Amino acid sequence: MEETSLRKRREDQKSTQSNEPKTTSLQKEVGLLSGICIIVGTIIGSGIFISPKAVLSNTGAVGPCLIIWAACGILATLGALCFAELGTMITKSGGEYPYLMEAFGPIPAYLFSWTSLFIIKPSSFAIICLSFSEYATAPFYAGCKPPEVVVKCLAAAAILLITMVNSLSVRLGSYVQNVFTAAKLVIVAIIIISGLVLLAQGNTKNFENSFEGTKLSVGAISLAFYNGLWAYDGWNQLNYITEELRNPFRNLPQAIIIGIPLVTGCYILMNVSYFAVMTTTELLQSQAVAVTYGDRVLYPASWVVPLFVAFSTIGAANGSCFTAGRLVYVAGREGHMLKVLSYISVKRLTPAPAIIFYGIIATIYIIPGDINSLVNYFSFAAWLFYGLTILGLIIMRFTRKDLERPIKVPIFIPVLVTLVSVVLVLAPIISEPAWEYLYCAIFMLSGIIFYYLFVHYKFGWAQKISKPITMHLQMLMEVVPPEEAPE
């Protein structure tokens, strides 16, 4: 009986590790071309279909809007190069967690883990599902805004469906991801090619006086960056492919330098395509930018655009859910969260508790939030920790000179990215304060209370509360712990 249990748990562990983002289905022989494809496929998601409107509203004109998109691509490239150095210097799992632990100690690392689990990843999931819902409902409410209750109910249904698919079967989740990734690339190609054809035909009127009406406040530019960088989100995950790359110390920086500018080019060309058809006023009034574009350019086949955009966004949401497990396992292993969150389904061999947890938190975010407020909420938290992590890279240049650095970026790059992160975090709060920043800061700092109660002092009463909860959830969900902690 004991032997059978151990075998089953070992199989569970293998299933778990196959679902973790650092090793998910990647072979040991990934070359430069494959690395570039992984980068492009990871970054292009829902952002390019929802961010153009927000970037334009914060910049006020076509010229600065396109400059912001290019600048976001440059910043993402520089940030990814810094993370490549960190990833090859500290080869531990858990994203920013081990880097913060090495540079600053357990409290900042725990706060990152806490913030990721409760703010960054669930709010990202909620944003993607809301954008799917807006595009899926747009064709049924032509010329007017879909009712908010319809959009939110459909988004909640999407979260429920994706959570169920990924909880029930790893293979089904992976298959869905492959299909929707192809759909995503098809719609990007359709918009870019049709836009280039329109430009060749002389549709350049909207690019005349392209800097007229520009907004120059630091707060507005920061909010434009928030929305633009949301479309590039995923750049910080690129060092996860290090172990699978052939000759990673050469191919990883090359894949970043080619891959992210390639995405940047796609994003700029898509925005140019939108402006070839719509004036700034029309774009800002559009309920779903790509749908309006399709109605004007591809009629009578305009139904293709909302369909493929919905596929693209649901694919991005599925990918977000599919790779949600890694940080939860690390947090569970370190004793930073309920142990049950790092358990695996006995029957399905999936990280069901972690996925269901993400689904519940994301659904809660949908109820009060809209896309723009959630993007600001997400970006504030994300860039606070991106900046802190890259600051850690600078500090370790002086405090951990003994660490081997196969990839070493010039020091001005992490300094520049850290300074930009400080501006991105502080500028919107100072110039355009909003409640979501305060809520986010309070929630992040509340993690310190949980750290001292459950991690640092490990009070007996806290353990008495958590143990029966873990036991009952384990029986209810039929889940078991992996035999060994993932490396």
Side-chain angles (χ1 to χ4, degrees):
M1 183 71 185
E2 181 68 13
E3 207 172 39
T4 307
S5 173
L6 283 171
R7 190 181 302 117
K8 188 175 286 184
R9 287 166 66 183
R10 192 176 289 113
E11 287 170 1
D12 292 340
Q13 186 191 14
K14 286 177 183 175
S15 169
T16 307
Q17 290 177 333
S18 71
N19 280 288
E20 295 167 5
K22 294 191 178 177
T23 56
T24 301
S25 72
L26 294 178
Q27 301 302 306
K28 292 292 181 184
E29 290 295 315
V30 177
L32 178 61
L33 182 62
S34 300
I36 293 166
C37 290
I38 291 164
I39 287 169
V40 174
T42 302
I43 295 178
I44 295 178
S46 66
I48 187 56
F49 303 112
I50 60 171
S51 292
K53 189 173 165 181
V55 174
L56 180 62
S57 69
N58 283 297
T59 54
V62 174
C65 176
L66 295 177
I67 289 171
I68 289 287
W69 280 103
C72 288
I74 293 167
L75 181 60
T77 304
L78 297 178
L81 288 171
C82 294
F83 269 69
E85 177 176 332
L86 284 164
T88 52
M89 180 173 70
I90 301 168
T91 55
K92 292 179 183 176
S93 63
E96 290 92 324
Y97 181 91
Y99 313 148
L100 291 167
M101 178 73 85
E102 195 76 40
F104 301 109
I107 293 178
Y110 176 80
L111 288 179
F112 165 74
S113 178
W114 169 267
T115 305
S116 287
L117 289 171
F118 287 98
I119 297 177
I120 295 174
K121 292 188 181 296
S123 63
S124 169
F125 194 12
I127 293 163
I128 297 168
C129 287
L130 278 170
S131 58
F132 156 75
S133 184
E134 285 200 354
Y135 270 95
T137 54
F140 300 99
Y141 295 90
C144 64
K145 187 176 182 180
E148 198 169 312
V149 67
V150 173
V151 172
K152 292 191 174 185
C153 285
L154 184 58
I159 289 175
L160 178 63
L161 178 64
I162 293 165
T163 303
M164 282 177 57
V165 165
N166 284 277
S167 298
L168 291 174
S169 170
V170 172
R171 188 173 293 173
L172 180 59
S174 182
Y175 177 73
V176 166
Q177 190 61 30
N178 293 341
V179 171
F180 287 143
T181 297
K184 169 170 62 182
L185 298 176
V186 166
I187 190 60
V188 168
I190 288 172
I191 292 173
I192 289 174
I193 292 168
S194 58
L196 291 174
V197 169
L198 287 167
L199 285 175
Q201 292 172 347
N203 291 279
T204 57
K205 186 180 178 182
N206 294 334
F207 297 98
E208 296 169 6
N209 302 317
S210 58
F211 287 85
E212 194 174 308
T214 302
K215 295 178 184 176
L216 289 175
S217 77
V218 177
I221 291 169
S222 295
L223 289 173
F225 264 97
Y226 271 10
N227 285 278
L229 288 165
W230 160 250
Y232 288 94
D233 191 58
W235 61 263
N236 61 313
Q237 307 298 313
L238 302 180
N239 57 313
Y240 285 177
I241 66 173
T242 305
E243 293 173 17
E244 287 75 40
L245 272 176
R246 196 164 52 233
N247 192 2
F249 309 136
R250 181 178 66 87
N251 285 344
L252 181 59
Q254 284 191 5
I256 289 167
I257 289 164
I258 296 169
I260 302 181
L262 194 61
V263 173
T264 306
C266 287
Y267 283 179
I268 291 171
L269 287 172
M270 287 183 76
N271 277 277
V272 167
S273 297
Y274 295 149
F275 289 125
V277 172
M278 290 173 269
T279 64
T280 53
T281 305
E282 288 169 338
L283 194 144
L284 290 172
Q285 289 175 346
S286 170
Q287 298 306 319
V289 177
V291 171
T292 305
Y293 179 86
D295 287 341
R296 296 191 180 185
V297 176
L298 301 173
Y299 187 83
S302 53
W303 57 269
V304 168
V305 175
L307 179 68
F308 275 83
V309 171
F311 283 164
S312 174
T313 48
I314 206 80
N318 183 72
S320 172
C321 187
F322 186 73
T323 60
R326 170 68 80 173
L327 189 62
V328 180
Y329 299 135
V330 176
R333 179 188 69 187
E334 299 289 339
H336 287 181
M337 292 292 153
L338 275 175
K339 286 283 184 185
V340 74
L341 288 178
S342 63
Y343 288 5
I344 305 121
S345 169
V346 173
K347 291 182 178 177
R348 305 288 182 181
L349 305 178
T350 59
I355 292 168
I356 292 168
F357 171 81
Y358 276 118
I360 292 168
I361 301 295
T363 306
I364 292 169
Y365 279 132
I366 279 174
I367 296 165
D370 61 81
I371 288 177
N372 285 337
S373 64
L374 280 173
V375 167
N376 293 344
Y377 183 73
F378 164 88
S379 298
F380 173 77
W383 277 94
L384 183 64
F385 282 103
Y386 292 161
L388 197 61
T389 304
I390 295 170
L391 177 63
L393 171 63
I394 298 167
I395 289 170
M396 284 189 284
R397 285 282 180 94
F398 302 99
T399 59
R400 298 301 308 274
K401 292 180 180 179
D402 56 307
L403 289 173
E404 190 180 344
R405 292 171 170 82
I407 296 172
K408 190 173 182 178
V409 296
I411 190 72
F412 78 88
I413 292 178
V415 169
L416 178 63
V417 176
T418 304
L419 290 174
V420 171
S421 302
V422 171
V423 173
L424 285 174
V425 169
L426 295 181
I429 300 173
I430 295 167
S431 62
E432 297 181 38
W435 284 110
E436 54 255 33
Y437 305 129
L438 180 64
Y439 297 149
C440 191
I442 290 170
F443 197 88
M444 281 192 287
L445 292 174
S446 69
I448 295 173
I449 299 169
F450 284 81
Y451 175 79
Y452 280 105
L453 287 179
F454 293 94
V455 180
H456 188 72
Y457 290 113
K458 293 185 178 174
F459 289 118
W461 61 266
Q463 303 299 316
K464 285 177 183 176
I465 293 170
S466 65
K467 279 184 180 177
I469 292 173
T470 299
M471 185 182 71
H472 284 95
L473 286 173
Q474 191 175 352
M475 289 190 293
L476 176 68
M477 301 174 72
E478 296 183 327
V479 291
V480 294
E483 192 172 9
E484 297 172 8
E487 294 177 2

